[in-house]
Amino acid sequence: QQTHQPQQQQQRQQRAARVSSGLKRSKFVVDMERRAEKQRHVHEKRKALQRQREEQRQQEKQEAEEAKRLAEEEEQARFLAERRERGREEQRKRAQRLVRLAQDREMWRQA
């Protein structure tokens, strides 16, 4: 048994050396590494998809904000154009009143 003990210890050391150097890996270890790699791949795909969705959401948000800004600018331009048109209409009416007043005065003077 005493000669058997050093031999077992030597075998353990050899197995440990093989495992640590990566020469021989058990099927379990290889399967675990494959699963881990597959999980990493799936995680990376999900992360990329999530990033893509977030970028899409940001782009849609920016487009909506730009559309809102343009609509507000158009509304403001329409408001200003209508105000200018009302001002011109008031000036035209005022001018017509002045012309009528001048014509009335002329008629009274001639009468």
Side-chain angles (χ1 to χ4, degrees):
Q1 232 185 19
Q2 288 179 348
T3 58
H4 191 64
Q5 216 173 16
Q7 189 179 6
Q8 285 178 339
Q9 188 177 7
Q10 186 181 11
Q11 285 174 348
R12 273 190 238 120
Q13 288 174 347
Q14 286 173 347
R15 275 195 304 266
R18 277 196 307 260
V19 169
S20 67
S21 68
L23 292 177
K24 182 171 181 190
R25 297 180 310 197
S26 70
K27 184 178 179 203
F28 175 77
V29 171
V30 170
D31 287 345
M32 291 301 286
E33 288 173 347
R34 274 193 209 126
R35 277 192 213 130
E37 184 60 33
K38 197 173 186 178
Q39 286 175 343
R40 269 193 299 279
H41 183 67
V42 168
H43 177 71
E44 288 172 3
K45 271 184 153 179
R46 285 181 183 157
K47 199 171 184 179
L49 185 59
Q50 186 178 5
R51 193 176 319 116
Q52 184 181 10
R53 285 180 182 157
E54 179 62 23
E55 288 172 358
Q56 175 92 25
R57 190 185 70 74
Q58 286 293 333
Q59 183 177 358
E60 288 172 358
K61 182 180 176 185
Q62 288 176 345
E63 288 171 357
E65 289 172 353
E66 180 67 11
K68 181 181 176 184
R69 186 185 65 75
L70 289 173
E72 289 172 351
E73 284 180 5
E74 288 175 11
E75 180 62 29
Q76 181 70 12
R78 198 171 19 258
F79 171 78
L80 292 173
E82 289 172 1
R83 191 166 76 179
R84 280 192 302 271
E85 184 59 35
R86 282 191 305 271
R88 284 193 287 266
E89 184 65 23
E90 287 176 15
Q91 278 184 326
R92 187 179 62 76
K93 286 179 181 178
R94 202 175 304 124
Q96 287 175 345
R97 270 184 261 139
L98 290 173
V99 167
R100 273 195 310 259
L101 184 62
Q103 288 172 347
D104 288 349
R105 283 185 184 160
E106 186 65 29
M107 272 185 17
W108 281 108
R109 211 177 326 162
Q110 290 176 0

